[in-house]
């Protein structure tokens, strides 16, 4: 909009804010390039690239590079320490104590006891494989049930135990206990998060709407039954 003399008068009296001067795009570009030029090239390099380019830096740069390299190395070690799992591993019964009960301190361990002939077990394994990648700080393992527990009933499968510091923090036993035959990945993620095995970014239970509908249906049925019972009682007294 074109400025008017009246607006200039209002600005002089402080009623309107000062008029913004048009920005010079060339000047902005120059300032941006100057800022980028102040960034040392080694700050954008990987550890391998730093090693190859050592001869190109002066003594002052080399001191800064050593500090920077040490910082990057510590960050890498911290990341490796946090992300030391990242897959669903198969274990046998004789590994149970070492891998699960006596696992590293403060590390959550999720173990799935399964039988490959049960479709629900295969579905749970698929979901756990994906969750193991998403939550590499949690240990995910699976074991054929017979290698751990003899004569375990099929109606108790799949079975998921969550351990931490040698104690069972959560357990899901059987098809219903694990979430049903139509179990979704997000639903299993939520169940594991509820017992503290993982830290999910899901904001609410994916099954919440289904549960609400079921509760509503049960309530409506109960009201309907109570109404019919009341009407029947009234009829009997006539």
């Amino acid at each position: 909009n074109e400025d008017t003399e009246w607006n200039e008068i209002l600005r002089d009296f402080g009623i309107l804010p000062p008029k913004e001067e048009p920005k010079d795009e060339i000047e902005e570009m120059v300032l941006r390039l100057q800022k980028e030029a102040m960034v040392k090239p080694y700050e954008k390099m990987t550890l391998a690239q730093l090693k190859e380019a050592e001869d190109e830096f002066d003594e002052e740069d080399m001191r800064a590079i050593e500090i920077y390299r040490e910082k990057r190395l510590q960050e890498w070690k911290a990341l490796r320490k946090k992300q030391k799992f990242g897959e669903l591993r198969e274990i046998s019964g004789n590994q149970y104590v070492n891998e699960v009960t006596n696992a590293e301190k403060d590390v959550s361990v999720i173990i799935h006891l399964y039988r490959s002939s049960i479709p629900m077990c295969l579905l749970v394994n698929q979901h756990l494989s994906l969750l193991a990648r998403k939550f590499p700080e949690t240990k995910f393992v699976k074991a054929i049930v017979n290698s751990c527990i003899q004569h375990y009933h099929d109606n108790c499968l799949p079975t998921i135990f969550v351990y931490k510091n040698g104690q069972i923090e959560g357990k899901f036993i059987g098809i219903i206990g694990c979430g049903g035959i139509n179990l979704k990945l997000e639903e299993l993620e939520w169940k594991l998060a509820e017992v503290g095995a993982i830290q999910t970014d899901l904001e609410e239970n994916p099954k919440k709407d289904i549960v609400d509908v079921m509760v509503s249906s049960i309530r409506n049925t109960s009201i309907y039954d109570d109404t019919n019972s009341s009407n029947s009682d009234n009829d009997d007294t006539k």
Side-chain angles (χ1 to χ4, degrees):
N1 297 332
E2 293 185 1
D3 233 330
T4 64
E5 293 182 4
W6 175 246
N7 285 344
E8 290 295 343
I9 294 172
L10 293 177
R11 287 192 183 92
D12 290 340
F13 283 95
I15 298 174
L16 288 180
K19 183 179 178 181
E20 291 187 5
E21 296 295 331
K23 294 182 179 179
D24 189 331
E25 293 184 4
I26 296 178
E27 182 180 353
E28 284 189 348
M29 184 180 69
V30 170
L31 291 173
R32 178 171 55 80
L33 292 173
Q34 287 177 343
K35 187 176 180 180
E36 290 178 356
M38 294 174 65
V39 177
K40 294 290 186 180
Y42 54 76
E43 293 181 1
K44 297 181 180 180
M45 291 183 174
T46 64
L47 295 177
Q49 290 171 331
L50 284 174
K51 184 68 177 176
E52 293 177 0
E54 281 183 349
D55 294 338
E56 301 176 12
F57 300 115
D58 58 27
E59 186 176 343
E60 182 180 349
D61 283 334
M62 288 303 297
R63 284 196 296 270
I65 287 172
E66 284 304 316
I67 296 173
Y68 179 69
R69 178 186 284 143
E70 182 62 26
K71 179 183 176 183
R72 290 289 299 273
L73 188 60
Q74 293 304 320
E75 290 173 351
W76 178 79
K77 286 181 178 179
L79 184 63
R80 289 283 294 177
K81 184 177 180 180
K82 183 179 179 182
Q83 300 184 346
K84 56 185 174 181
F85 302 115
E87 63 177 345
L88 175 63
R89 292 193 301 109
E90 182 90 33
I91 65 170
S92 59
N94 57 14
Q95 295 175 295
Y96 197 105
V97 173
N98 287 334
E99 293 284 351
V100 181
T101 311
N102 293 339
E104 297 90 329
K105 185 180 179 182
D106 296 329
V107 170
S108 292
V109 183
I110 297 169
I111 178 164
H112 175 212
L113 301 179
Y114 75 99
R115 204 185 304 280
S116 58
S117 59
I118 298 177
M120 180 68 180
C121 289
L122 300 181
L123 176 64
V124 169
N125 277 339
Q126 289 177 6
H127 289 341
L128 291 179
S129 292
L130 294 173
L131 292 175
R133 295 177 204 168
K134 184 176 181 180
F135 301 99
E137 67 279 5
T138 297
K139 189 174 186 178
F140 288 79
V141 294
K142 61 180 178 177
I144 296 175
V145 66
N146 287 350
S147 72
C148 302
I149 308 172
Q150 292 295 322
H151 311 300
Y152 196 69
H153 293 296
D154 282 1
N155 58 7
C156 293
L157 296 176
T159 291
I160 300 174
F161 291 129
V162 176
Y163 280 79
K164 190 169 185 179
N165 297 325
Q167 302 297 318
I168 294 180
E169 301 290 325
K171 53 186 176 182
F172 309 100
I173 299 175
I175 292 175
I176 300 302
C178 288
I181 58 174
N182 295 317
L183 178 68
K184 302 291 189 298
L185 177 65
E186 293 79 10
E187 293 167 2
L188 181 56
E189 179 176 335
W190 184 266
K191 291 174 78 69
L192 294 174
E194 283 188 311
V195 296
I198 55 177
Q199 293 185 342
T200 182
D201 53 5
L202 297 175
E203 295 182 356
E204 63 177 13
N205 187 348
K207 255 189 173 179
K208 180 178 181 297
D209 293 339
I210 298 175
V211 173
D212 289 345
V213 169
M214 291 175 63
V215 170
S216 177
S217 177
I218 293 170
R219 285 176 179 170
N220 290 338
T221 302
S222 177
I223 293 171
Y224 177 77
D225 289 343
D226 289 344
T227 302
N228 283 347
S229 176
S230 177
N231 290 337
S232 177
D233 291 341
N234 290 335
D235 290 341
D236 291 340
T237 58
K238 288 180 181 180

